[in-house]
Amino acid sequence: MTINRRTLLASAGAMTLPMLPATGLAQGKAEFQLKYANNLPVTHPMNVRANEMAAKVLAESKGRVEIKVFPSSQLGNDTDTLGQVRSGAVDFFTLSPLILGNLIPSAQISGVGFAFKDYGQVWAAMDGTLGAHVRKEIAAKSPLFAFEKIWDNGYRQMTSSARAITRPDDLKGMKMRVPPSPFWVSMFKAFEASPATINFAEVYTALQTKVVDGQENPLAIIATAKLNEVQQFCSITNHMWDGFWFLANKKSFERLPADLQEIVTRNINAAALLERDDVRKLNDGLMGELKTKGMQFNTTDAELFRAKLRAAGFYAEWHKKFGDEAWALLEKYTGKLV
């Protein structure tokens, strides 16, 4: 299936109910009914590919496994839903490694500011030993596990209603929304901004009411969540790569017989690879779409921001927190950061 910008943006926000697999097999009650929750609009590539995945699982399992998709934080905000998947009330949840870091500190290492220079480095790391290290930590320190292939969210960009962000000094004193993660707070404090932690479900309202001046997200989310309606400036900073670990409750997943586990695992990982390509293409082409809606864009010099983080001790601080083993795995792919 091809996901294009026109289809995505035209239908953004048009649906509020969970999309169920479009197949006759869904008419009967499945032996295993599983809930998958996420915080993204129904039209985002994640939900398009997740619904395709759910339909394939239903068909290949001959109606035994039905995965119901709940987009747009329908089952609660990120913090609430993470609690539900830990307890088993929700079976699957896709969550940014940076927010998962509140539970598994090492999970957020993939989001170190200005670390990955391109997607080549990202996928080599996340499909390689860095990703394996994080998945091992998740399984060892929580009632969850992460499927092998991480889904893409894209490189994050900074937006503002106050002014264009062209250099680190432009962030001084700016009220920036960040996800509920000490890691994010630490980075924006290093830039001398004033970060405020707000769950994604409340971001649009916080920007609209000027509780915060700006936020940062990939272009696909800026577009699908219509943040351009409440933000004038967008700075292409590529300051963090962000993805989504597809998490599962261990006990819930272990209820499935081995053959059904294989069907679910294979289809979730295959959908992740398709979603990666969708998000890359979408983010690559969205600047033009958002410009026509009045958003102003500027480019930035990554090295200026990297130098500011070094001078503020950000890299040294998080090297110490993550430990030598994890940091060495990161720099294996990014090169030296400190």
Side-chain angles (χ1 to χ4, degrees):
M1 177 178 181
T2 300
I3 300 175
N4 57 56
R5 298 191 302 280
R6 182 176 299 174
T7 300
L8 178 83
L9 297 175
S11 56
M15 188 173 296
T16 57
L17 296 176
M19 297 174 66
L20 302 183
T23 169
L25 291 172
Q27 300 303 313
K29 186 174 181 181
E31 183 180 350
F32 300 96
Q33 294 184 313
L34 307 175
K35 294 179 181 178
Y36 160 52
N38 65 71
N39 65 4
L40 296 184
V42 70
T43 50
H44 189 278
M46 172 179 283
N47 281 305
V48 175
R49 295 302 184 182
N51 277 284
E52 291 178 355
M53 174 272 294
K56 289 177 181 178
V57 167
L58 190 67
E60 291 183 27
S61 69
K62 296 180 170 57
R64 295 179 67 193
V65 180
E66 180 182 13
I67 299 175
K68 295 185 178 181
V69 181
F70 295 86
S72 301
S73 301
Q74 289 181 14
L75 301 186
N77 63 34
D78 290 343
T79 305
D80 294 338
T81 308
L82 181 58
Q84 291 179 70
V85 77
R86 290 179 69 191
S87 71
V90 171
D91 304 285
F92 304 118
F93 183 38
T94 34
L95 188 64
S96 164
L98 295 153
I99 300 176
L100 183 59
N102 293 327
L103 176 64
I104 311 294
S106 60
Q108 57 199 335
I109 193 168
S110 57
V112 167
F114 295 93
F116 292 116
K117 296 177 179 62
D118 54 47
Y119 268 120
Q121 290 185 349
V122 168
W123 300 133
M126 302 315 294
D127 291 339
T129 53
L130 183 64
H133 173 81
V134 172
R135 293 194 302 276
K136 182 179 177 181
E137 291 281 293
I138 294 169
K141 297 180 179 179
S142 77
L144 312 175
F145 74 89
F147 289 92
E148 181 182 0
K149 298 299 182 183
I150 193 169
W151 296 46
D152 192 19
N153 192 11
Y155 276 96
R156 302 179 77 92
Q157 318 300 348
M158 299 183 196
T159 71
S160 170
S161 60
R163 57 184 175 271
I165 299 162
T166 60
R167 59 192 188 280
D169 284 351
D170 292 324
L171 287 164
K172 282 186 178 179
M174 185 178 287
K175 294 181 292 182
M176 287 290 291
R177 175 269 172 179
V178 296
S181 162
F183 188 63
W184 249 295
V185 171
S186 172
M187 188 179 82
F188 278 92
K189 281 188 174 179
F191 288 131
E192 300 180 75
S194 180
T197 58
I198 300 172
N199 274 297
F200 185 73
E202 288 83 47
V203 169
Y204 187 99
T205 301
L207 294 168
Q208 186 178 44
T209 56
K210 306 296 184 182
V211 170
V212 289
D213 301 313
Q215 64 84 54
E216 47 77 61
N217 261 302
L219 293 181
I221 290 183
I222 292 169
T224 55
K226 300 183 179 181
L227 300 185
N228 57 288
E229 295 177 350
V230 288
Q231 295 281 271
Q232 181 180 356
F233 304 101
C234 183
S235 303
I236 302 302
T237 50
N238 291 326
H239 56 278
M240 285 175 161
W241 172 80
D242 194 16
F244 295 98
W245 284 117
F246 202 111
L247 303 169
N249 180 279
K250 291 175 190 173
K251 289 184 178 179
S252 173
F253 191 72
E254 287 168 358
R255 291 189 298 115
L256 300 177
D259 61 327
L260 298 183
Q261 290 185 21
E262 188 279 330
I263 289 172
V264 172
T265 299
R266 173 167 42 81
N267 279 286
I268 286 175
N269 285 331
L273 297 179
L274 294 172
E275 186 267 357
R276 289 179 185 183
D277 194 48
D278 294 336
V279 169
R280 179 185 57 79
K281 291 176 181 176
L282 188 61
N283 281 321
D284 284 349
L286 271 173
M287 189 184 299
E289 296 277 355
L290 290 168
K291 281 181 178 178
T292 66
K293 297 177 184 295
M295 207 166 208
Q296 299 177 33
F297 284 82
N298 66 274
T299 57
T300 57
D301 181 351
E303 189 50 45
L304 293 177
F305 291 84
R306 211 173 280 125
K308 177 71 173 180
L309 292 180
R310 286 195 193 102
F314 174 82
Y315 292 130
E317 173 191 355
W318 286 94
H319 180 174
K320 183 177 180 181
K321 289 183 177 180
F322 288 133
D324 290 341
E325 179 187 2
W327 197 262
L329 289 174
L330 174 66
E331 291 190 329
K332 172 183 173 182
Y333 301 99
T334 65
K336 289 291 184 182
L337 295 170
V338 180

